[in-house]
Amino acid sequence: MILDRRRMTALIGQGGSIFVTLFGLLILTFVIGRIMPADPVRAIVGEDATREVYETVYRQLGLDRPMWEQFFLYVRDVATLDFGTSIRTGQPVLTDILRVLPATIELATFAILFGAIVGIPLGVLAAVNKDRWADHLIRVFSLMGHSMPIFWTGMIGLLVFYAWLGWVGGSGRMDQFYIGLVPERTNFLLIDSAIAGEWEVFRSAINHILLPASLLGYSSSAYITRMTRSFMLDQINQEYITTARVKGLSNRQTIWRHAFGNIRVQLVTIVALAYGALLEGAVLIETVFAWPGFGSYLTANLLIGDMNAVMTCVLVVGVIFIALNVISDILYRVFDPRTRA
Amino acid sequence: MSDPVLDIRNLSVRYAGAPGPAVRDVSFTLGRERLGIVGESGSGKSTLGRALMRLLPSAEITAERMQFEDVDLLNATERQMLKVRGRRMSMILQDPKFSLNPIRKCGDQIAEAYRTHFRCRPAEARQKAVDMLEAVQIREASRVYDLYPHEVSGGMGQRIMIAMMLLTDPDLVIADEPTSALDVTVRLEVLRILDGLVREKGIGLVMISHDLSLVRNFCDRVLIMYAGRVVETLNARELDQARHPYTRGLLAAQPRIAGGRGILPVLKRDPAWEEEPAR
């Protein structure tokens, strides 16, 4: 049972490191909340409030207590999922987040699927045909994805595929007249409409997500393609590839059965990072497509100094990255026998 | 000698972008015998081996004749080569640390060599691989089948490599420095296993090496290569009677257990060797 104990130790180690990271994250958001130039009291009472009103609110917020006590209260609130109220929307921050985050997760998930499905094969193709025309063509394609500003491709995309061709839906998460038709259970529109059996709404939602998701996906596929190409080139020159060729495997079999297996771990890393970046919210594309997502929410709160909301958003981004790291770690173990020991 | 396995005449190999050819005008024939190819690093011996398997896509290969049994290696299509490689001609690479795929089970990699050329059920291929592991004297073969390359020692890894390359009963095996990555203590053991199987199955062996004493003991004939050319061909038993100054220099530069502690002679190279005809 040595193996079991070792596995236990690894699990405890991992859990411990997650805990420490989370705690560090809490300290960070707390410090951000305190050193930001925005005055939380002024944000509530306004510019014209009298000194007495200001002092009262100051004390209500607990700002007169010692730092450590404020931090302790903050941790307690977070632990009970009480993130306070957003000044801007007047609603509990938790409610807001649960409304905007699913919209972003939906968009980011479609985008990363598109990015990986397009980017990985293109990267492999470019590596196998290094310095030939296919490689050059793919380089141009991915450079374009990298260098064209997303708000611009967003507008052009809307013009061409929505206004002229009518292939996709326009801005928003669904067509106007469907709004409010589906009961909001998870706030994932595709899931909610599927649960309710509203397939019209479901189709409309798919129509609306296609364009922004593929544009976002295109820009992350540029990165994924280039990384895949360089990972693949590393592997192609390895000696075990020669072994596979000696055995009589064709080029294609060698690449997909042998080389590709060895780049999966690295691919997981970069795809997870790209996914994380998308989940932080793509403010520009959300703006162009009127997508009520996390990026717009965070930006709007930041601009007016809505500290409860900002701190919570930072916390959410941190938790997303921790979660992606944990998932990556698990996939490493699935893909590479050397990490299992 | 009956029909030769390999018949090579004036083979030259030039890498794309290289100033000169890496292998120049090499000619030899190989029957069901063991041929050693000896030379320093960079003498073109590994390039020769890979050119025979047509594994150098970017290199330019020219020859008057390059015949492997009934296959014209010079003009065979890639599709034809796929049926030759791993089935009738295979190659043992130098270092099992790098030549085995790190994320696949050793046994599966052996079985793949069989399944690539013979249609069969997975269980049958597995049994073939386990039998072959036993043939290279690995104990608990079915346990070793499920190990990953990082879980086996170098000597065992190289025996796995040998099993993989001999599983399909090829007619020709090229061994590219098969033991130079191994500890001295397991070298002989691995070589004996390889030698035993090669003799038993009547396989033609090309042993590429820089180790003269190894080639002397395990080969019938020896080609000495220098700067991409064969400078001398000898019977392994007559290695000491070599006449070419390069071969004699190589022999003299070898330490001997009973040879005292004097400073070993340094090989003096003569540019004329690069051009004169082979002896």
Side-chain angles (χ1 to χ4, degrees), chain A residues 239-240 243 246-247 258 261-262, chain B residues 50 86 99 101 109 112 117:
Chain A
E239 199 67 344
Y240 73 85
T243 306
V246 166
K247 278 195 272 189
H258 286 271
N262 278 285
Chain B
R50 277 159 207 241
S99 55
N101 186 339
Q109 297 188 49
E112 187 183 36
H117 299 285

Side-chain angles (χ1 to χ4, degrees), chain A residues 238-266:
Chain A
Q238 300 282 326
E239 199 67 344
Y240 73 85
I241 295 296
T242 311
T243 306
R245 302 279 293 134
V246 166
K247 278 195 272 189
L249 267 65
S250 69
N251 249 330
R252 176 175 301 182
Q253 288 168 326
T254 307
I255 294 299
W256 290 107
R257 282 200 215 157
H258 286 271
F260 187 72
N262 278 285
I263 68 168
R264 284 180 305 187
V265 163
Q266 291 158 297

